């Protein structure tokens, strides 16, 4: 399952873009509000860090059809890459209408705030490139977030749609793994959850053990130093 980073924090984006195999960055109005300041400068800095080839998903703030369409086009023009800039549009009737119009013109639309498989099906029929089901927001209200993603996987496999699933809104690493097992294509994950996906105390103790055993037998030299002799 492909992983995208769900943040607008530049330090986190620089770090994860260097050390982790991330495919891009997603933002939403709340995520951008956490950073504050000049939003346009922030968005261009994110694009500059991840480069032209990786995906950026930016959400519209307008709510009227004409304005959503205008804003979507302006976002893509500003970030300058129609292929790898996706416009996030919430799963409403107006959002579906905008998705139909924009996807016909070749814009990549991520229908977001998807809280049911039914919404995902409609978004796919409207031509969305991605649907973003909110896993934790469902789990938090005792609904089945992971099960909803599994249902969407099945519906999309049956219909043969090109729409991809971008699972979102994770609070635990386990939820991320669970949607991967369910066959989800892509997940967008916060810096905190992404750190938890990699870290393991037994990995740390294993590495410490290797280093101690090596040092006991061979002292301060390294394998590279021996090879370079
Ligand atoms: C994707 O970008 C979504 O907007 C995001 O994952 C929502 O996450 P939250 O439910 O933690 O706000």
């Amino acid at each position: 399952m492909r992983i995208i980073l769900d943040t607008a924090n530049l330090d986190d984006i620089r770090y994860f873009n260097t050390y982790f195999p991330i495919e891009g960055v997603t933002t939403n109005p709340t995520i951008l509000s956490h950073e504050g300041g000049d939003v346009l400068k922030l968005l261009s800095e994110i694009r500059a860090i991840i480069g032209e080839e990786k995906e950026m998903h930016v959400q519209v703030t307008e709510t009227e059809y004409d304005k959503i369409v205008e804003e979507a086009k302006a976002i893509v023009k500003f970030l300058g890459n129609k292929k790898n800039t996706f416009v996030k549009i919430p799963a409403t009737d107006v959002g579906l209408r905008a998705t139909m119009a924009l996807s016909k013109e070749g814009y990549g639309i991520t229908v977001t705030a998807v809280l049911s498989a039914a919404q995902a099906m409609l978004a796919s029929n409207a031509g969305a490139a991605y649907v973003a089901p909110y896993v934790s927001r469902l789990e938090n209200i005792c609904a089945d977030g992971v099960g909803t993603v599994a249902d969407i996987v099945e519906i999309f496999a049956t219909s043969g749609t090109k729409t991809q699933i971008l699972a979102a809104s994770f609070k635990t690493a386990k939820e991320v793994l669970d949607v991967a097992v369910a066959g989800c294509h892509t997940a967008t994950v916060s810096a905190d959850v992404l750190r938890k996906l990699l870290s393991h105390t037994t990995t740390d103790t294993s590495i410490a053990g290797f280093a101690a055993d090596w040092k006991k037998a061979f002292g301060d030299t390294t394998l590279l130093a021996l090879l370079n002799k």
Side-chain angles (χ1 to χ4, degrees):
M1 183 175 69
R2 301 160 72 242
I3 299 288
I4 292 183
L5 184 62
D6 201 20
T7 187
N9 181 275
L10 295 178
D11 289 338
D12 283 338
I13 293 169
R14 271 188 214 100
Y15 168 74
F16 284 102
N17 192 54
T18 303
Y19 290 99
F20 281 59
I22 60 163
E23 308 283 340
V25 166
T26 52
T27 66
N28 65 30
T30 303
I31 287 171
L32 292 173
S33 79
H34 292 153
E35 306 309 312
D38 183 338
V39 180
L40 296 183
K41 185 165 174 271
L42 182 61
L43 290 173
S44 4
E45 281 175 338
I46 296 172
R47 176 50 92 201
I49 293 168
I50 65 174
E52 289 293 314
E53 295 307 312
K54 292 194 180 180
E55 296 182 11
M56 254 184 96
H57 297 244
V58 179
Q59 191 164 326
V60 294
T61 57
E62 295 283 353
T63 53
E64 303 293 327
Y65 170 75
D66 288 337
K67 286 290 177 189
I68 291 176
V69 170
E70 187 184 340
E71 193 177 31
K73 290 180 179 179
I75 289 169
V76 173
K77 191 172 173 204
F78 179 73
L79 290 170
N81 187 337
K82 203 169 180 180
K83 191 171 141 254
N84 292 326
T85 298
F86 293 83
V87 179
K88 292 173 70 184
I89 300 180
T92 62
D93 54 355
V94 180
L96 288 182
R97 183 182 172 199
T99 300
M100 286 189 280
L102 288 161
S103 57
K104 268 195 198 110
E105 289 187 46
Y107 289 90
I109 306 302
T110 299
V111 172
T112 193
V114 166
L115 277 306
S116 74
Q119 290 175 330
M121 180 182 69
L122 291 170
S124 160
N125 293 349
Y130 284 106
V131 293
Y134 279 11
V135 176
S136 263
R137 291 197 194 202
L138 283 167
E139 300 282 342
N140 285 344
I141 53 168
C142 295
D144 189 358
V146 174
T148 300
V149 172
D151 286 348
I152 300 170
V153 168
E154 207 173 318
I155 291 166
F156 283 10
T158 305
S159 70
T161 180
K162 284 189 183 143
T163 307
Q164 301 266 303
I165 305 169
L166 172 61
S169 176
F170 291 100
K171 291 291 168 284
T172 69
K174 173 80 165 54
E175 290 165 346
V176 179
L177 266 197
D178 286 346
V179 299
V181 171
C184 183
H185 311 113
T186 309
T188 184
V189 180
S190 69
D192 187 39
V193 172
L194 193 43
R195 272 186 202 100
K196 287 183 179 133
L197 278 169
L198 179 66
S199 72
H200 201 298
T201 49
T202 303
T203 301
D204 299 340
T205 53
S206 301
I207 294 167
F210 295 141
D213 291 342
W214 175 273
K215 192 167 181 164
K216 214 155 97 190
F218 308 111
D220 284 333
T221 190
T222 65
L223 191 52
L224 177 63
L226 295 176
L227 289 165
N228 282 343
K229 261 191 187 161

